[in-house]
Amino acid sequence: MKISILSIPVRDQEKAFRFYTEKLGFVKKIDMPLEDGNRWLTLVAEEDQMGPELLLEPSAKDFEPTKVYQKALYEAGIPVTQFNVKSVRDEYERLLPLGVKFSVEPTEMGTAVIAVFDDTCGNYIQIVEVI
């Protein structure tokens, strides 16, 4: 068993696509039209294009339970997922000038450094560096 696709609920797929590709650096893997103007839209890490795909899940705009779940996580400041990075401080310094807003600045927590940012699509994302 292995992980091939993880999903993140987003309110606006196009806005999320721009944020995750233009600011975070992910690249498009699959972009296939679905019903109601939605898309099967997955991204991968540029350096691991055969690795796990990130699905920008449009259910946050159409499916009430997802809206409630996403809103509750956001209001509590809980990240919906996390991405590993080589250096949290380097990513923080790279993303700040791009307008990415952090709710948690780089913080050492035991054997890791973490930071949390707003993806502008209804989610907090945590980045992690294992030290």
Side-chain angles (χ1 to χ4, degrees):
M1 191 176 304
K2 67 178 189 177
I3 297 170
S4 59
I5 296 178
L6 297 170
S7 67
I8 293 179
V10 297
R11 297 178 189 144
D12 180 328
Q13 283 187 302
E14 185 55 35
K15 182 178 178 183
F17 175 73
R18 288 193 310 273
F19 181 87
Y20 281 84
T21 57
E22 295 171 7
K23 296 185 188 271
L24 301 186
F26 287 96
V27 295
K28 181 171 51 178
K29 178 79 173 192
I30 298 172
D31 187 358
M32 187 170 52
L34 299 173
E35 295 177 9
D36 300 326
N38 293 323
R39 298 150 60 187
W40 183 263
L41 181 56
T42 68
L43 310 173
V44 291
E46 186 171 9
E47 65 275 2
D48 189 15
Q49 295 190 23
M50 297 307 291
E53 297 173 44
L54 181 65
L55 171 65
L56 300 177
E57 172 61 58
S59 65
K61 73 172 188 163
D62 301 324
F63 187 58
E64 191 61 28
T66 301
K67 288 181 190 176
V68 172
Y69 171 73
Q70 185 185 38
K71 183 175 183 231
L73 285 179
Y74 189 84
E75 288 177 354
I78 297 172
V80 70
T81 195
Q82 71 178 35
F83 302 137
N84 285 4
V85 296
K86 289 180 183 171
S87 168
V88 166
R89 287 178 179 83
D90 288 351
E91 285 298 317
Y92 177 79
E93 294 300 326
R94 182 182 76 79
L95 294 171
L96 273 180
L98 297 175
V100 175
K101 300 203 180 326
F102 282 80
S103 62
V104 177
E105 295 181 354
T107 305
E108 191 169 323
M109 300 185 74
T111 59
V113 178
I114 67 154
V116 178
F117 61 84
D118 186 331
D119 76 351
T120 73
C121 303
N123 306 296
Y124 286 114
I125 304 294
Q126 181 169 281
I127 53 175
V128 178
E129 169 192 354
V130 177
I131 53 177

